[in-house]
């Protein structure tokens, strides 16, 4: 596991602001987040595959990839989802207000929303909020942190990561922010994320980088398996580092640090999952294809019986092995091996003698639990990070009332 | 909803016994269940599709459909799953002991097991148990009830149903028993079921009837979405009613009552789901195919956010609509309609005004909650019954320790 970010680095070419405009009840909590690019940035997006998706997802999807993005505006507290034609209109107006404030076109502004579903945006508050944010953007860490707080809903704290890539004597900065505590929290929707760099990247490079890195990071986290209507991950490259466009080999090096930053952020989401007491790392190895490995890892990570076993510190290998069996993947059960926190529990179709107390203590003694499955069917692998399932999750989601 | 069975009818040609042999700690709880057929019965089976399956599943799968089944032996308290070659040997021995006791061949005996995974059967206890059961079989209700208790694990009570089919002046009896409270309960596996009739059916008729009826009943229930290693549903037709073989049209009439009996039993499983406070009936209508409808119903029924909303009596339509959206089915979100307990909540892509208190009271005031989704994409439909998700479910599965 990588060390958490010790220091925030701010990629050149971006300005930040976060303000409170009244979407959240607590006046000390930012609910508008604005990121402005000094010059047109290349931008890419990956979005929820939910057939029921929010207005801002439709807006951004139609405008990415792009080489002329000037801003990203995010509101928290209201998802602008299931809001019909009025929702589309409100989303377009959010972009238009930002555009007017910064001297750009509405088409050059991306929008994200997260919060309650099925309620129209209070546009009067949002108009004031955007104007206030546009008037106070900054390039230092405090402004970045305001913007990172402005996208949160039920999160317990900001989720950010930074990396620096030294490539052929040049220095590229990468920083990102994300949010999410349930795939859908109580009537609050969404995983949102933005990753920024000052590297000069083409539109195609930006889109390919984001798609590849998202598949291995943000697409590998599970809280409750319930896909949101608003999930959005954006990447903006300002090019403000100032040098020549990156070669393919330089992009590959940048990708390494980009993935590290996204992985660090992505893991923060299930770690902060509603009621979570464990972060479960599921590694599935030796599969015929990565798709097979991911299917198995997801079934294990989503099983409420596996999740509750880990909550209870119970090395209940039968629940894990049986979840592997119903993932829809062909494999030889007699070759399957299972390790939990590096201790062998299952091999050759039969249980292995192990000290249950030692395994139980290793689960109870650490926030992270490592489930390792090996199938010996090929070379492909996948890793999923997930929350466990606790009484607090159920209370949080059952006791809440709309 | 059908009325529960008022009276047990015992199909002719079968004898029953249930005894305690020491697999369960409580000496008052039967853990061996025996059903003997006076003459060879036609028999069919449907089984778990889990790649990791127990020894008795392998045994029965190889021996059904059949026209010569003489007995079904079931033990509860031990699943004989993940037990390797010794498990296969123990399963074969169970069949052989029964065969010896009743004067049949081992191949004419089907076997079911349910309980702890990965522990070898205590065969000495089982040998004594089978001998005792074989020595005390009866044809009346008390013997049937002993056998129905002998297959239970964490169930709160027996799960049985009976029907009588009057067809062309003849009377056919149908009775069944099943068990299950979690797809896998704490280290206890499985849904098991047996349905019996005295109708004279061919092997093919028996297999087709069971496969079709299972698809619409036992395959439409969800507790926690975790598929067991031992799921087995058997059907035996003794032919002891004594008349001529049934025509296709007579089989269709029998099917109606058979389905009613299986539906009544199947619903008892999620209704008795671990910690369940609601039975959720999810109806999805107006789909292009039944497969589409079932996919959507399963995603809604499996979503922990939908389950917990119903636990809390919260008419949180956003959670239901968003679960429809990620089922992998193509549809127009603007046409989707949602009713909860017959009250319209969502239509034309926007929320409908409704009295949240009325809906909440209707959820809280009844054990059964009805979720009705209409897609207007075609004529196919599906119905799923599911448990809600409660604090008690999590406690039960997290606090248990192997």
């Amino acid at each position: 596991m990588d060390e958490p970010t010790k220091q925030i680095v701010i990629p050149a070419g971006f300005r930040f602001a976060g303000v409170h405009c009244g979407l959240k009840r607590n006046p000390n909590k930012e609910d508008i987040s604005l990121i402005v690019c000094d010059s047109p940035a290349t931008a890419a997006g990956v979005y929820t595959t939910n057939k029921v998706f929010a207005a801002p997802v439709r807006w951004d999807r139609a405008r990415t990839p792009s080489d002329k993005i000037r801003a990203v505006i995010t509101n928290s507290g209201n998802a602008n989802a299931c809001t019909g034609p009025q929702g589309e209109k409100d989303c377009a107006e959010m972009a238009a207000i930002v555009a007017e404030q910064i001297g750009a076109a509405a088409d050059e502004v991306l929008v994200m929303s997260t919060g309650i579903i099925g309620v129209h945006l209070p546009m009067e508050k949002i108009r004031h909020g955007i104007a206030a944010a546009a008037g106070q953007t900054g390039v230092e860490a405090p402004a970045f942190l305001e913007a990172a707080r402005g996208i949160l809903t039920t999160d317990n704290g900001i989720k950010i990561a930074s990396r620096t890539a030294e490539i052929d004597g040049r220095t590229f900065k990468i920083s990102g922010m994300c949010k999410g505590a349930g795939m859908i929290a109580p009537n609050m929707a969404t995983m949102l994320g933005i990753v920024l760099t000052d590297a000069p990247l083409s539109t195609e490079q930006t889109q390919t980088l984001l798609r590849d890195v998202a598949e291995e990071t943000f697409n590998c986290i599970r809280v409750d398996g319930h896909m949101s209507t608003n999930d959005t991950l954006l990447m903006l490259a300002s090019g403000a580092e100032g040098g020549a466009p990156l070669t393919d080999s330089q992009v590959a090096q940048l990708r390494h640090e980009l993935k590290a930053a996204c992985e660090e952020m992505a893991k923060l989401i299930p770690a902060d999952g509603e009621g979570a007491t464990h972060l479960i790392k599921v590694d599935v190895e030796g599969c015929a294809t990565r798709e097979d490995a991911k299917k198995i890892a997801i079934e294990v990570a989503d099983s409420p019986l596996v999740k509750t076993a880990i909550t209870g510190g119970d090395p209940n290998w039968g629940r894990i092995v049986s979840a592997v069996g119903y993932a829809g993947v062909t494999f030889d059960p007699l070759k399957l091996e299972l390790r939990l926190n590096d201790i062998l529990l299952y091999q050759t179709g039969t249980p292995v003698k192990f000290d249950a107390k030692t395994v139980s203590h290793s689960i109870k003694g650490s926030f992270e639990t490592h489930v390792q499955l090996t199938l010996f069917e090929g070379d492909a692998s996948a890793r999923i990070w997930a929350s466990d399932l606790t009484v607090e999750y159920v209370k949080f989601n059952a006791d809440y009332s709309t």
Side-chain angles (χ1 to χ4, degrees), chain A:
Chain A
M1 187 172 163
D2 290 318
E3 285 297 297
T5 298
K6 296 285 186 298
Q7 200 183 330
I8 304 167
V9 301
I10 310 284
F14 299 102
R15 287 176 287 132
F16 307 89
V19 300
H20 172 81
C21 79
L23 296 170
K24 290 177 184 166
R25 279 182 205 152
N26 184 338
N28 296 318
K29 294 199 168 181
E30 291 86 349
D31 47 24
I32 289 281
S33 170
L34 178 64
I35 302 177
V36 177
C37 319
D38 298 330
S39 310
T42 59
V46 290
Y47 306 97
T48 183
T49 56
N50 200 310
K51 293 283 187 294
V52 178
F53 54 86
V57 170
R58 186 190 301 272
W59 177 272
D60 291 358
R61 203 178 258 150
R63 286 160 184 83
T64 51
S66 168
D67 59 1
K68 59 171 187 181
I69 294 305
R70 290 291 315 284
V72 179
I73 179 71
T74 307
N75 75 273
S76 51
N78 185 316
N80 196 11
C82 301
T83 45
Q86 183 64 43
E88 308 284 339
K89 212 177 135 222
D90 291 343
C91 176
E93 191 184 343
M94 284 178 69
I97 304 166
V98 172
E100 194 188 325
Q101 292 283 338
I102 66 168
D107 267 340
E108 296 164 2
V109 178
L110 300 177
V111 183
M112 302 199 292
S113 296
T114 177
I116 193 165
I117 290 181
V119 175
H120 292 302
L121 287 172
M123 286 307 294
E124 198 53 35
K125 289 178 181 174
I126 293 208
R127 282 180 206 111
H128 284 109
I130 294 176
Q136 65 174 63
T137 55
V139 298
E140 304 293 335
F144 180 85
L145 292 173
E146 274 178 8
R149 286 194 297 267
I151 68 173
L152 304 180
T153 53
T154 56
D155 309 73
N156 286 313
I158 58 164
K159 299 181 166 81
I160 61 171
S162 289
R163 288 290 187 286
T164 302
E166 306 282 348
I167 302 173
D168 298 335
R170 295 163 69 185
T171 302
F172 303 104
K173 292 172 185 154
I174 298 167
S175 260
M177 56 186 72
C178 69
K179 59 93 34 178
M183 282 300 133
I184 290 194
N187 230 17
M188 303 284 180
T190 305
M191 192 293 288
L192 295 182
I194 313 173
V195 58
L196 307 169
T197 180
D198 48 15
L201 296 171
S202 71
T203 305
E204 195 190 333
Q205 285 172 331
T206 309
Q207 180 70 25
T208 305
L209 270 176
L210 184 67
R211 195 189 53 218
D212 290 356
V213 167
E215 153 61 21
E216 294 175 17
T217 58
F218 285 101
N219 281 347
C220 293
I221 56 173
R222 315 286 288 183
V223 173
D224 47 24
H226 191 112
M227 187 196 293
S228 157
T229 51
N230 288 52
D231 292 334
T232 299
L233 176 67
L234 300 175
M235 175 169 168
L236 272 62
S238 69
E241 180 265 349
L246 268 62
T247 64
D248 286 352
S249 123
Q250 289 171 328
V251 168
Q253 292 174 69
L254 186 73
R255 183 187 191 285
H256 184 78
E257 294 302 325
L258 184 72
K259 185 187 164 192
C262 286
E263 183 172 308
E264 184 179 330
M265 279 191 283
K267 286 163 66 173
L268 295 172
I269 293 176
D272 188 30
E274 291 161 359
T277 58
H278 287 86
L279 177 64
I280 309 171
K281 181 167 72 175
V282 183
D283 273 321
V284 179
E285 289 166 2
C287 288
T289 65
R290 175 168 165 83
E291 195 191 1
D292 280 359
K294 199 166 174 183
K295 269 189 198 168
I296 290 172
I298 286 173
E299 288 293 2
V300 171
D302 278 359
S303 162
L305 289 171
V306 172
K307 286 173 182 285
T308 50
I310 290 168
T311 304
D314 180 11
N316 194 323
W317 58 268
R319 296 185 185 177
I320 299 171
V321 168
S322 57
V324 175
Y326 65 74
V329 171
T330 301
F331 68 96
D332 180 356
L334 297 182
K335 290 194 287 186
L336 180 66
E337 282 185 14
L338 168 65
R339 284 173 180 74
L340 214 149
N341 290 341
D342 295 318
I343 302 166
L344 185 69
L345 302 192
Y346 186 78
Q347 202 176 32
T348 66
T350 45
V352 169
K353 286 216 167 145
F354 64 88
D355 181 20
K357 275 192 185 164
T358 303
V359 186
S360 180
H361 286 151
S362 83
I363 300 171
K364 288 178 179 167
S366 170
F367 182 68
E368 190 167 313
T369 296
H370 192 192
V371 176
Q372 300 154 274
L373 287 152
T374 315
L375 279 84
F376 300 99
E377 301 282 346
D379 292 328
S381 63
R383 173 177 288 182
I384 292 282
W385 292 278
S387 312
D388 59 357
L389 174 60
T390 65
V391 163
E392 286 64 36
Y393 175 92
V394 176
K395 281 187 180 166
F396 191 61
N397 285 295
D399 294 351
Y400 179 92
S401 190
T402 44

